């Protein structure tokens, strides 16, 4: 009974600390959907291979959302004709590179300022690396079929032929003026409220599960096991990377979960947990299928894991 009471107390503490950030994130995400035009500014985005992902990553500050709300926004960017680099930069970096996640990281680790710098910088580097890894892959091998068709419908006929628009086959390229931009639209208030409510409930469910797992690990897992893993520079990183993938908790609140075991693991493992989860986890494996093909998802997962492992090793080399 004592162990159950301890687990319940830890669970409540984690949940109550995280809930305000979850609510704030959903509210800002809904406000952005309401105020931001759907199209028009897409054509102003830079096409430069280096600048495009940088702009996409920095858009996370304007459209703060965790990875759950991030995927549909990135998909809409790509479908509307935005450069792939911009869409991927936003997709991979925005779940961490936004004010909500930065604030929650600071609230959870006020005594570790290095983490407040390392996490957004690491997320930015991961987004840039993944964008350049995926860049050589042709669009028809990279994007999901439905998304590819939507994207080609927004391209001028001078760039994409009629046959390409419907089936992905090479068609006759006809010189024609670009298509006019659709008029900006706003969601119906009732639809917006319903969407935000579903998003909040989905995230709350994941948060409760993640808090329960974290509380159970802290209470019932023998401390000697965690200490044995946590003291090994490489094994601790791999263990925390696996935990991030399995727990699949929202990036807005994962810092509070990491707080429970931060003292038992290496700094590089802690950073790896906070970096990998927002890019690769079990929850995102399904969400990513609306943007990427399975082969591209596999490439993304492997590349992200390698980059995070190297970052964790580098941090351990500096701080241990």
């Amino acid at each position: 009974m004592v162990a159950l009471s301890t687990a319940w107390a830890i669970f409540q503490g984690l949940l109550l600390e995280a809930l305000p950030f979850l609510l704030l994130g959903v509210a800002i995400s809904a406000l952005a959907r309401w105020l931001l035009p759907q199209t028009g500014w897409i054509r102003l985005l830079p096409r430069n291979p280096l600048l495009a992902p940088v702009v996409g990553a920095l858009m996370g500050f304007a459209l703060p959302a965790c990875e759950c709300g991030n995927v549909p926004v990135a998909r809409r960017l790509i479908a509307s004709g935005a450069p792939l680099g911009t869409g991927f930069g936003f997709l991979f970096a925005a779940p961490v590179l936004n004010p909500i996640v930065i604030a929650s990281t600071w609230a959870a680790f006020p005594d570790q300022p290095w983490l407040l710098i390392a996490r957004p910088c690491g997320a930015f580097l991961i987004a840039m690396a993944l964008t350049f890894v995926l860049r050589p892959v042709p669009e028809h091998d990279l994007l999901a079929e439905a998304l590819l068709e939507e994207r080609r419908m927004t391209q001028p006929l001078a760039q994409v032929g009629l046959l390409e628009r419907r089936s992905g086959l090479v068609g006759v390229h006809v010189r024609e003026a670009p298509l006019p931009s659709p008029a900006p639209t706003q969601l119906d208030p009732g639809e917006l409220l319903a969407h935000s409510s579903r998003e909040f409930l989905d995230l709350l469910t994941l948060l409760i599960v993640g808090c329960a797992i974290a509380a159970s690990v802290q209470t019932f897992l023998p401390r000697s096991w965690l200490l044995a893993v946590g003291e090994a520079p490489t094994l601790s990183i791999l263990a925390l990377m696996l935990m991030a993938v399995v727990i699949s908790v929202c990036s807005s609140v994962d810092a509070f979960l990491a707080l429970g075991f931060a003292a038992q693991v290496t700094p590089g493992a802690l950073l790896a947990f906070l970096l990998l989860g927002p890019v690769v986890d079990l929850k995102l494996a399904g969400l990513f299928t609306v943007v990427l093909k399975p082969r591209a998802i596999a490439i993304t997962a492997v590349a992200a894991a390698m980059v995070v492992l190297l970052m964790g090793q580098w941090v351990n080399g500096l701080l241990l």
Side-chain angles (χ1 to χ4, degrees):
M1 292 300 294
V2 175
L4 288 176
S5 298
T6 302
W8 176 246
I10 295 173
F11 170 79
Q12 290 183 92
L14 291 171
L15 188 61
L16 291 176
E17 275 189 317
L19 267 179
F21 289 94
L22 181 61
L23 281 169
L24 185 59
V26 172
I28 293 180
S29 178
L31 186 63
R33 291 191 193 96
W34 173 251
L35 296 178
L36 224 62
Q38 298 292 320
T39 56
W41 54 275
I42 293 291
R43 300 180 186 275
L44 302 178
L45 294 173
R47 305 278 164 176
N48 183 277
L50 180 61
L51 193 57
V54 172
V55 172
L58 295 179
M59 284 172 62
F61 286 98
L63 295 169
C66 70
E67 58 269 30
C68 301
N70 192 46
V71 172
V73 176
R75 187 186 188 281
R76 178 48 46 196
L77 280 172
I78 295 172
S80 300
L84 287 182
T86 303
F88 290 150
F90 181 82
L91 178 66
F92 299 129
V96 170
L97 209 63
N98 73 66
I100 305 303
V101 174
I102 293 174
S104 67
T105 304
W106 175 80
F109 298 98
D111 57 339
Q112 299 192 45
W114 70 269
L115 196 58
L116 189 62
I117 298 173
R119 189 180 189 190
C121 290
F124 178 81
L125 292 176
I126 291 171
M128 295 293 290
L130 294 180
T131 300
F132 282 105
V133 167
L134 295 176
R135 187 168 175 265
V137 182
E139 284 191 15
H140 59 82
D141 291 332
L142 182 63
L143 301 179
E145 292 295 340
L147 175 56
L148 183 62
E149 183 173 323
E150 286 185 58
R151 178 175 173 80
R152 284 175 169 167
M153 289 297 292
T154 65
Q155 304 299 309
L157 287 177
Q159 298 178 18
V160 179
L162 290 173
L163 294 179
E164 285 181 303
R165 291 190 172 194
R166 297 303 304 169
S167 65
L169 299 175
V170 177
V172 178
H173 292 252
V174 181
R175 293 291 172 180
E176 186 176 296
L179 296 176
S181 300
T185 59
Q186 286 183 323
L187 293 176
D188 176 79
E191 182 184 351
L192 183 68
L193 180 61
H195 183 279
S196 299
S197 300
R198 288 194 301 270
E199 181 181 24
F200 175 73
L201 291 176
D202 290 343
L203 295 178
L204 181 61
T205 302
L206 292 170
L207 174 62
I208 291 173
V209 172
C211 288
I213 292 174
S216 300
V217 168
Q218 293 181 58
T219 306
F220 298 107
L221 185 69
R223 187 169 295 272
S224 58
W225 292 9
L226 188 59
L227 289 175
V229 172
E231 292 172 354
T234 301
L235 186 58
S236 64
I237 297 173
L238 294 173
L240 267 292
M241 287 170 61
L242 179 61
M243 184 181 293
V245 172
V246 172
I247 290 180
S248 302
V249 72
C250 172
S251 62
S252 300
V253 296
D254 58 359
F256 295 106
L257 303 185
L259 181 61
F261 47 77
Q264 284 79 42
V265 299
T266 62
L270 178 61
L271 181 62
F273 178 85
L274 296 175
L275 287 178
L276 186 62
V279 179
V280 178
D281 62 33
L282 297 180
K283 169 180 80 268
L284 282 175
L287 293 176
F288 273 172
T289 58
V290 301
V291 179
L292 300 172
K293 288 187 174 179
R295 177 172 172 265
I297 295 175
I299 293 173
T300 299
V302 172
M306 292 179 63
V307 173
V308 169
L309 178 60
L310 290 175
M311 287 185 180
Q313 295 278 40
W314 183 70
V315 169
N316 279 344
L318 287 179
L319 300 182
L320 289 183

